[in-house]
Amino acid sequence: MANMKKVAEVNLIFWIMKICATTLGETAGDMLSMTFNIGYGLSSIILISFFVVSLIAQLMSKKYNPALYWLVILTTSTAGTTMSDYMDRTLGLGYAMGSTILVFMLVSMLLIWHKSEKSLSVTDIKTFRPEMFYWVTILISNTLGTALGDYLADDSGLGFGGGALLIGSLILLVVLAKFFTKISTVILFWVAFVLTRPFGATFGDLLTKSTDKGGFDLGTIGSSGVLFGILVVLLLFVVFEEKKRTLKES
């Protein structure tokens, strides 16, 4: 039992849920820090606490649990949103500097992971140490995605729609590279994983911001409710499929 896989299979549903979860992380993080006026610092503490609790539960689990896995993904997204906002706004680092620092942290973590495990593959994680590398890397990448998404939306002149379009185009290039090039699938996975976070960040801003700022004016509460509902439906589908797979193997 201890050698069973611990993380989700990477397929089309995985990427749809990843984008949905990271977009929800953006809207829910903004809802807590701005709509409820809790502030970036206290919001970061609250959401990081949720992340730590969910991560401990995930690490203690003996096998892959879809609901628990996606809860951790979601909490890394919400924590990443407020952590990025705290760095860029409260500490005054700005989006460009914050993104640069987080890129350095992400590359450093991947190098440490590779040096320790001799691989960055996420298809066969079964033990504690690679799983810890996996989740720390995800937390950093989601924090980076928020900073990068905010930079594209606010400082680059592209706006929310333009930022989402740019990141979406880059994601499409990664998909094409998977099918038409010999680039390592591990490298492409991590590039795509990083890119889906700023896509979620810019798309989340597009949903929540007012129309005069180029958004759809759904607000953080309305957008979060819609995204949460979609994520629950997809999760139920994944749980159903996982149960079918388990019954076939038993």
Side-chain angles (χ1 to χ4, degrees), residues 161-183:
L165 181 61
L166 174 61
I167 296 298
S169 299
L170 292 175
I171 293 173
L172 178 60
L173 289 177
V174 174
V175 173
L176 293 175
K178 173 178 172 57
F179 290 105
F180 298 106
T181 73
K182 296 182 179 180
I183 298 175

Side-chain angles (χ1 to χ4, degrees), residues 9-210:
E9 180 182 355
V10 180
N11 51 28
L12 179 60
I13 292 294
F14 172 89
W15 290 114
I16 294 173
M17 293 184 72
K18 168 65 166 58
I19 292 172
C20 185
T22 52
T23 306
L24 176 57
E26 175 74 13
T27 59
D30 286 346
M31 179 178 65
L32 194 63
S33 62
M34 292 188 290
T35 304
F36 294 163
N37 201 29
I38 293 178
Y40 302 125
L42 182 55
S43 295
S44 294
I45 293 173
I46 294 172
L47 294 173
I48 290 172
S49 298
F50 283 139
F51 163 65
V52 171
V53 171
S54 63
L55 178 59
I56 290 173
Q58 165 68 22
L59 293 172
M60 291 178 63
S61 176
K62 300 302 182 182
K63 62 179 181 178
Y64 168 59
N65 181 313
L68 186 54
Y69 173 88
W70 285 104
L71 176 62
V72 184
I73 291 288
L74 180 58
T75 57
T76 61
S77 298
T78 52
T81 296
T82 54
M83 287 168 59
S84 173
D85 289 341
Y86 181 75
M87 289 176 58
D88 301 337
R89 300 174 187 177
T90 303
L91 296 182
L93 296 177
Y95 300 134
M97 179 60 69
S99 297
T100 301
I101 292 172
L102 289 163
V103 166
F104 176 79
M105 291 175 62
L106 179 61
V107 172
S108 298
M109 180 54 62
L110 290 171
L111 289 173
I112 293 170
W113 182 357
H114 188 271
K115 183 176 178 61
S116 172
E117 302 300 316
K118 311 304 178 186
S119 172
L120 294 175
S121 176
V122 299
T123 59
D124 196 35
I125 292 179
K126 297 178 180 179
T127 56
F128 178 82
R129 190 166 66 179
E131 188 178 6
M132 277 299 299
F133 282 125
Y134 177 82
W135 288 115
V136 172
T137 304
I138 285 176
L139 179 62
I140 296 172
S141 71
N142 282 335
T143 308
L144 167 62
T146 299
L148 184 58
D150 287 339
Y151 171 78
L152 291 174
D154 296 339
D155 290 356
S156 69
L158 292 173
F160 308 120
L165 181 61
L166 174 61
I167 296 298
S169 299
L170 292 175
I171 293 173
L172 178 60
L173 289 177
V174 174
V175 173
L176 293 175
K178 173 178 172 57
F179 290 105
F180 298 106
T181 73
K182 296 182 179 180
I183 298 175
S184 167
T185 55
V186 173
I187 293 175
L188 291 176
F189 170 84
W190 284 110
V191 171
F193 200 97
V194 170
L195 287 176
T196 52
R197 182 59 180 115
F199 180 81
T202 53
F203 188 62
D205 285 336
L206 184 65
L207 291 174
T208 59
K209 301 301 182 182
S210 61

Side-chain angles (χ1 to χ4, degrees), residues 17 231-241:
M17 293 184 72
L231 191 59
V232 168
V233 171
L234 292 172
L235 179 59
L236 290 173
F237 173 78
V238 169
V239 170
F240 177 73
E241 290 297 309

